[in-house]
Amino acid sequence: HAHGQGWTDLNFLIPELATLVEYRKGPFYAAEGDFSSAGAVNVKYATTLKQGIASIGLGQNGFARTFLADSPILGEGNLLYAVELMRNDGPFTVGDNYRKRNGVLRYSQGTEANGFNVTLMSYDAKWHSTDQIPLRAVTAGTLGRFDAVDQTDGGSASRHSLSAAWRQSSGTTFTQVNAYVVATRLNLFSNFTYFLDSPVDGDQFAQPDRRVTTGINASHSWSSKLWGRNAENTVGLQFQNDNIFNGLLSTRARQTVSTTRKDHIVESSAGVYFENRTTWTETFRTVAGLRGDSYRFRVNGDNPANAGTARDSIFSPKLNLIFGPWNKTEFYANAGTGFHSNDARGTTITVDPKSGAPVDRVTPLVRSKGAEIGVR
């Protein structure tokens, strides 16, 4: 959905280019910040391909996909390019008519340990969607299983980005920096209640959202001794700024009927963390970390009563105990705190934008706590 902190749209990812997919869950990792208690993922793209790829796929329900990729040598590095075109209808009475265009252009030099890359990515898609439908209508035979109440639901999305990464290592140190700017846009039309609120125009609503996200992540790791034990330390800095224009509109067949609210939001954050990994014995090691985050939310919109600025900061300690290995088996106990940010508009709101009734503001940053024991 377009309200809040954005939306998850993984359709810009190209599986053939992914060389690493790393999942984490829980408030146990100092390098992971907002929402990481629910989950975090790191997807790494290739810098070179063993050979070029060209493929055409056809399937049922209007599925078609064309893909082309290669990484020829250019100067002292490689220029990787990839183009993906896709469409799909699904089994629905009125097909999804999902159309996607996706492209990647990356220039890289060096290795994973010492090198750099610059990457351009571009993705856009359009679709018609069949939302949930009432079972009673299907059972009564007045609505088919693959029908829809509102045949104009759907939307469009785009994501365009420029990013760069640099890495340098020696025998005992490793430094990496990456910076990015991402422009995203979403127009989403949904209708969950059909004609409950508006018997004349219907209950379709739109969530338009366009935002530019800029950020930089930097970390430095080094080996050391802690009370005579081998240790590895990492310090990191993370900055991000989201410049957002979004709204909530009542629509009919994707045409605006009325405006619930429109806002311009600027959300800025800075995070710093330290992590220590120490091997105490052959069968016992620890990973301890501390993370600090500071956020600023600024909201301006069509209702001055809901505008304003909010700030919040939070510290999150982490501790992981790992025992083993014995017979290729380890036992672990993890504990820590994390957080998630709330919708910026909720941090400055005073009245409900639809009813005008007074409402309470939400806490900008909400703490989460977690603990786990396990075996691997």
Side-chain angles (χ1 to χ4, degrees):
H1 51 73
H3 58 270
Q5 290 79 0
W7 60 96
T8 301
D9 183 356
L10 298 182
N11 290 292
F12 73 92
L13 290 175
I14 298 177
E16 289 90 341
L17 301 184
T19 60
L20 172 72
V21 182
E22 182 182 57
Y23 290 96
R24 290 176 171 178
K25 182 178 176 66
F28 313 122
Y29 311 94
E32 307 294 350
D34 200 4
F35 288 104
S36 62
S37 295
V41 62
N42 175 35
V43 180
K44 224 174 228 185
Y45 263 13
T47 54
T48 60
L49 300 174
K50 292 182 179 179
Q51 58 186 6
I53 305 170
S55 69
I56 297 176
L58 298 173
Q60 62 185 14
N61 297 323
F63 175 86
R65 181 179 186 260
T66 302
F67 178 67
L68 179 68
D70 203 356
S71 57
I73 295 174
L74 181 63
E76 297 182 2
N78 290 82
L79 182 67
L80 182 144
Y81 65 85
V83 178
E84 178 191 32
L85 302 174
M86 178 181 162
R87 77 177 307 276
N88 196 20
D89 282 333
F92 304 103
T93 303
V94 176
D96 285 340
N97 195 24
Y98 176 69
R99 291 161 289 165
K100 175 171 72 170
R101 296 178 294 183
N102 208 0
V104 175
L105 189 65
R106 164 174 280 186
Y107 180 74
S108 61
Q109 286 187 13
T111 65
E112 282 292 315
N114 291 281
F116 74 90
N117 63 64
V118 179
T119 307
L120 279 168
M121 303 177 71
S122 182
Y123 149 81
D124 70 76
K126 297 180 179 179
W127 65 90
H128 163 268
S129 65
T130 300
D131 281 322
Q132 64 265 31
I133 56 176
L135 176 62
R136 63 184 183 276
V138 178
T139 304
T142 58
L143 200 65
R145 179 182 174 188
F146 298 109
D147 285 341
V149 174
D150 191 337
Q151 295 287 7
T152 65
D153 289 349
S156 62
S158 65
R159 181 188 189 275
H160 310 290
S161 67
L162 170 65
S163 61
W166 173 82
R167 304 167 300 277
Q168 187 178 62
S169 65
S170 66
T172 58
T173 65
F174 179 62
T175 304
Q176 58 181 342
V177 180
N178 72 73
Y180 54 91
V181 55
V182 184
T184 55
R185 191 160 194 160
L186 176 70
N187 288 296
L188 184 62
F189 299 89
S190 308
N191 190 341
F192 302 144
T193 52
Y194 318 121
F195 293 92
L196 181 66
D197 294 333
S198 177
V200 177
D201 294 318
D203 296 351
Q204 188 184 74
F205 61 97
Q207 299 178 79
D209 187 296
R210 57 186 175 92
R211 64 183 65 201
V212 175
T213 301
T214 54
I216 184 169
N217 301 315
S219 66
H220 177 70
S221 301
W222 70 96
S223 300
S224 65
K225 291 286 186 179
L226 182 62
W227 293 305
R229 311 298 183 183
N230 291 327
E232 180 181 301
N233 306 290
T234 300
V235 62
L237 294 170
Q238 299 169 341
F239 300 96
Q240 182 168 306
N241 184 79
D242 289 80
N243 194 345
I244 308 161
F245 293 87
N246 68 10
L248 181 61
L249 316 174
S250 294
T251 56
R252 178 179 183 178
R254 302 196 184 190
Q255 300 301 310
T256 302
V257 175
S258 62
T259 299
T260 302
R261 69 179 299 170
K262 281 187 175 181
D263 296 279
H264 175 211
I265 303 159
V266 178
E267 181 173 334
S268 306
S269 65
V272 59
Y273 64 90
F274 174 78
E275 185 177 81
N276 170 268
R277 298 171 175 263
T278 301
T279 302
W280 300 98
T281 70
E282 290 184 357
T283 57
F284 177 61
R285 68 186 191 275
T286 59
V287 181
L290 178 64
R291 181 183 179 92
D293 289 271
S294 181
Y295 276 67
R296 178 181 181 270
F297 308 86
R298 182 169 62 84
V299 180
N300 289 305
D302 52 4
N303 188 346
N306 288 332
T309 301
R311 292 179 174 86
D312 203 358
S313 298
I314 197 166
F315 287 94
S316 307
K318 333 272 185 178
L319 180 61
N320 306 277
L321 310 177
I322 303 99
F323 304 89
W326 296 287
N327 296 323
K328 299 181 180 180
T329 303
E330 288 184 336
F331 301 86
Y332 59 89
N334 303 331
T337 66
F339 74 97
H340 75 79
S341 62
N342 265 322
D343 185 337
R345 295 170 297 177
T347 67
T348 61
I349 195 171
T350 60
V351 297
D352 185 281
K354 239 181 180 179
S355 66
V359 295
D360 294 329
R361 293 177 175 177
V362 299
T363 303
L365 302 181
V366 181
R367 184 177 300 281
S368 58
K369 301 176 183 178
E372 64 179 5
I373 56 174
V375 58
R376 55 176 165 255

